[in-house]
């Protein structure tokens, strides 16, 4: 059993009082078993926040509770006083220089702990808090990164689903190109045929025009040629007579 | 492609544009401009050329038989449709794309499953306050100190401290 052999391991120079207190402690704190002593796959319970309660920094609370039913509240104090007086009177504990030294050290220690204990504890707690906070930050960042990665993957999958648009667009382009080419060909045929027919019509018109002009010219030339000098003199004389007659009639009216 | 008019499928360019990732935006814009140019060209061409007024030409043209000849040849003429060589390639591309995208989606799903697993592990971790060092090494194997490789404290290269 662990408890018995621990006692024998103590160095023999150690105070037997210390040993007494430790055995009492072990007797009273049997409930928190040493977990590695048997195979246990259950997860550990979380570590307690506060240490065991002690009175006067030395004596565990369980001791007082243990004696309470038999001796009430003052029981342990009477036991303590009696023990102390016994030790002093029988000179089992001898008062010497060490006593004074010990007492002063104790006094200074108690003063310092009472004054600065809280701040030192807060400082140590803050260090611990910082470590835990940084670990927590790492964990939270990892969680966030994973979540964004999952979202990205889902988005990419959604994108991939839209690939049909691309191929529809390509096929549409091809169809449009073919259709446009076909229409262009039809249009070219029509234009060419129309051009040729219009050319024929235009040629005919032009020929007609030229023939007309030529004929008119020819007629005019012949007429001018056919006017002989005799006829010219006669026509001029007639014109003069006509003019005189006209002027006479004009005089008469005016 | 049977028949002169393969029906042009209406494409929702807005929805298409949404799915394009930013790296391929330039290619998408090029495709869109080309598509728009083609559809503009198609719209500018009439579906059928206007009919030639044979009666007028018969009376107008004096040469005998020319117009009749033209008319006969014109109605007998069959304009060949442009042959479609590319749609087969596009269909092949589409099949390829279907295959590769199926693979990609598979791989993506595997990745998602992996991420989900890690997320589950991280979420169900005990809080750091209640962990022992053994628990920490279980949860994050990279924190475990390699005591075989570095048998002396601090069990990791000094530069890593």
């Amino acid at each position: 059993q662990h408890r018995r052999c621990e006692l024998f391991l103590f160095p023999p120079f150690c105070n037997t009082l210390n040993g007494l207190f430790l055995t009492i402690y072990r007797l009273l704190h049997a409930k928190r078993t040493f977990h590695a002593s048997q195979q246990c796959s259950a997860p550990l319970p979380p570590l307690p926040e506060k240490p065991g309660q002690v009175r006067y920094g030395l004596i565990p609370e369980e001791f007082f509770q243990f004696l309470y039913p038999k001796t009430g509240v003052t029981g342990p104090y009477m036991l303590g006083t009696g023990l102390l007086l016994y030790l002093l009177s029988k000179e089992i504990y001898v008062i010497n220089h060490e006593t004074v030294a010990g007492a002063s050290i104790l006094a200074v220690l108690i003063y310092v702990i009472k004054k600065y204990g809280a701040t030192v504890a807060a400082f140590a707690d803050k260090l611990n808090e910082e470590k835990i906070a940084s670990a927590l930050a790492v964990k939270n960042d990892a969680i966030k990164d994973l979540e964004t990665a999952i979202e990205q993957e889902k988005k990419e999958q959604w994108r991939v689903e839209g690939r049909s648009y691309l191929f529809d667009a390509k096929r549409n382009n091809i169809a449009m190109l073919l259709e446009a080419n076909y229409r262009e060909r039809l249009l070219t045929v029509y234009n060419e045929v129309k051009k040729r027919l219009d050319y024929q019509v235009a040629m005919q018109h032009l020929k007609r025009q030229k023939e007309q002009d030529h004929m008119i010219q020819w007629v005019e030339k012949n007429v001018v040629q056919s006017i002989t000098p005799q006829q010219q003199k006669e026509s001029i004389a007639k014109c003069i007579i006509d003019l005189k007659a006209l002027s006479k009639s004009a005089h008469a009216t005016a | 492609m049977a028949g002169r008019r393969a029906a042009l499928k209406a494409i929702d360019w807005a929805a298409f544009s949404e799915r394009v990732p930013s790296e391929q935006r330039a290619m998408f814009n090029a495709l869109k401009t080309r598509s728009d140019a083609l559809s503009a060209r198609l719209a500018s061409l009439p579906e059928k050329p206007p009919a030639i007024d044979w009666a007028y030409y018969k009376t107008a043209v004096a040469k005998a038989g020319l117009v009749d000849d033209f008319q006969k040849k014109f109605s007998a003429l069959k304009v060949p449709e442009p042959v479609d060589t590319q749609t087969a390639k596009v269909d092949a591309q589409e099949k390829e794309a279907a295959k590769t995208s199926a693979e990609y989606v598979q791989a993506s799903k595997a990745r998602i499953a992996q991420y989900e697993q890690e997320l589950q592990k991280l979420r169900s971790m005990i809080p750091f306050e209640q962990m022992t060092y053994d628990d920490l090494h279980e949860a994050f194997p990279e924190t475990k100190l390699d005591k075989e490789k570095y048998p002396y404290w601090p069990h990791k290269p000094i530069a890593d401290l």
Side-chain angles (χ1 to χ4, degrees):
Chain A
Q1 283 290 350
H2 286 271
R3 293 168 239 152
R4 291 290 154 78
C5 57
E6 288 262 330
L7 195 51
F8 288 125
L9 281 173
F10 273 132
F13 306 116
C14 196
N15 202 335
T16 46
L17 200 62
N18 206 350
L20 180 68
F21 276 164
L22 277 160
T23 37
I24 294 175
Y25 181 90
R26 292 242 146 70
L27 276 166
L28 296 171
H29 282 269
K31 58 176 186 275
R32 194 172 175 84
T33 49
F34 190 42
H35 72 279
S37 54
Q38 66 259 25
Q39 301 306 91
C40 184
S41 61
L44 285 181
L47 294 171
E49 277 287 315
K50 299 239 167 281
Q53 296 292 347
V54 281
R55 264 199 227 195
Y56 305 110
L58 277 179
I59 306 151
E61 193 63 41
E62 283 81 356
F63 183 63
F64 291 84
Q65 299 305 323
F66 178 64
L67 292 179
Y68 179 78
K70 295 288 179 188
T71 56
V73 178
T74 50
Y77 294 104
M78 296 312 297
L79 177 62
T81 317
L83 260 178
L84 196 62
L85 287 175
Y86 167 67
L87 293 174
L88 282 172
S89 68
K90 289 283 188 182
E91 294 255 318
I92 296 174
Y93 175 71
V94 177
I95 293 195
N96 51 13
H97 311 287
E98 314 280 309
T99 313
V100 179
S104 356
I105 289 173
L106 205 65
V108 169
L109 220 57
I110 290 177
Y111 172 73
V112 166
I113 288 176
K114 282 268 192 269
K115 189 139 196 257
Y116 299 111
T119 46
V120 169
F123 173 73
D125 282 343
K126 192 157 74 68
L127 289 176
N128 222 17
E129 283 293 327
E130 277 166 16
K131 280 192 206 159
I132 289 187
S134 65
L136 208 62
V138 163
K139 175 178 146 188
N140 283 345
D141 282 343
I143 286 182
K144 212 156 23 96
D145 284 342
L146 282 173
E147 281 175 353
T148 45
I150 288 180
E151 268 199 43
Q152 288 284 61
E153 292 285 333
K154 290 211 169 102
K155 190 148 200 260
E156 289 299 315
Q157 281 185 10
W158 173 75
R159 281 220 172 104
V160 157
E161 279 170 21
R163 67 185 179 276
S164 61
Y165 285 122
L166 174 66
F167 295 107
D168 286 341
K170 279 189 170 184
R171 277 192 282 257
N172 265 10
N173 277 5
I174 293 174
M176 279 199 285
L177 201 57
L178 293 171
E179 182 67 22
N181 276 352
Y182 182 66
R183 285 187 194 176
E184 248 177 47
R185 287 179 188 181
L186 285 175
L187 205 60
T188 322
V189 164
Y190 163 79
N191 280 344
E192 289 297 309
V193 169
K194 195 150 190 329
K195 259 197 312 194
R196 279 164 180 69
L197 287 171
D198 285 342
Y199 172 74
Q200 291 295 328
V201 171
M203 271 292 285
Q204 279 173 206
H205 282 166
L206 183 68
K207 207 156 152 210
R208 205 35 156 345
Q209 191 89 3
K210 284 281 174 257
E211 282 173 359
Q212 273 184 338
D213 288 341
H214 185 255
M215 203 179 286
I216 289 172
Q217 254 188 331
W218 184 80
V219 165
E220 277 182 4
K221 197 169 74 174
N222 278 3
V223 163
V224 166
Q225 270 182 344
S226 70
I227 297 180
T228 58
Q230 176 64 21
Q231 274 180 319
Q232 199 153 347
K233 251 204 285 200
E234 274 184 22
S235 60
I236 286 176
K238 183 115 188 1
C239 287
I240 292 173
I241 292 170
D242 280 335
L243 274 170
K244 278 196 185 141
L246 272 170
S247 68
K248 259 198 219 139
S249 61
H251 254 279
T253 52
Chain B
M1 195 162 80
R4 220 191 84 183
R5 182 70 53 75
L8 288 176
K9 204 156 157 203
I11 295 186
D12 187 1
W13 287 101
F16 187 11
S17 162
E18 268 181 18
R19 302 210 189 216
V20 171
S22 48
E23 325 49 273
Q24 297 172 355
R25 181 86 15 206
M27 299 191 331
F28 170 75
N29 285 340
L31 178 69
K32 187 159 199 300
T33 43
R34 202 161 52 230
S35 272
D36 289 343
L38 280 175
S39 59
R41 183 168 152 215
L42 187 68
S44 70
L45 292 170
E47 190 181 320
K48 272 191 191 340
I52 299 183
D53 193 358
W54 296 108
Y56 165 70
Y57 283 113
K58 268 210 244 290
T59 54
V61 176
K63 217 181 262 184
L66 182 77
V67 176
D68 291 329
D69 199 25
F70 271 30
Q71 189 178 9
K72 219 174 20 199
K73 290 209 180 114
F74 183 75
S75 39
L77 178 70
K78 278 205 75 54
V79 178
E81 294 171 13
V83 176
D84 179 11
T85 52
Q86 305 294 331
T87 309
K89 289 192 194 156
V90 172
D91 287 337
Q93 274 183 355
E94 191 171 15
K95 284 203 183 46
E96 267 297 316
K99 208 156 39 99
T100 45
S101 52
E103 284 173 15
Y104 178 77
V105 166
Q106 266 310 69
S108 173
K109 286 210 168 91
R111 277 197 290 272
I112 286 186
Q114 198 191 3
Y115 293 154
E116 287 278 348
Q117 212 183 16
E118 291 199 14
L119 207 58
Q120 192 56 29
K121 187 180 80 129
L122 279 179
R123 284 218 178 105
S124 62
M125 223 166 60
I126 53 179
F128 287 106
E129 292 90 359
Q130 294 174 13
M131 268 201 222
T132 64
Y133 268 101
D134 280 339
D135 292 336
L136 180 66
H137 296 329
E138 259 182 48
F140 300 105
E142 58 266 14
T143 49
K144 194 157 165 54
L145 294 172
D146 194 352
K147 301 235 167 121
E148 281 93 45
K149 193 164 174 216
Y150 306 103
Y152 299 109
W153 184 84
H155 304 293
K156 52 180 159 174
I158 303 283
D160 280 356
L161 275 178

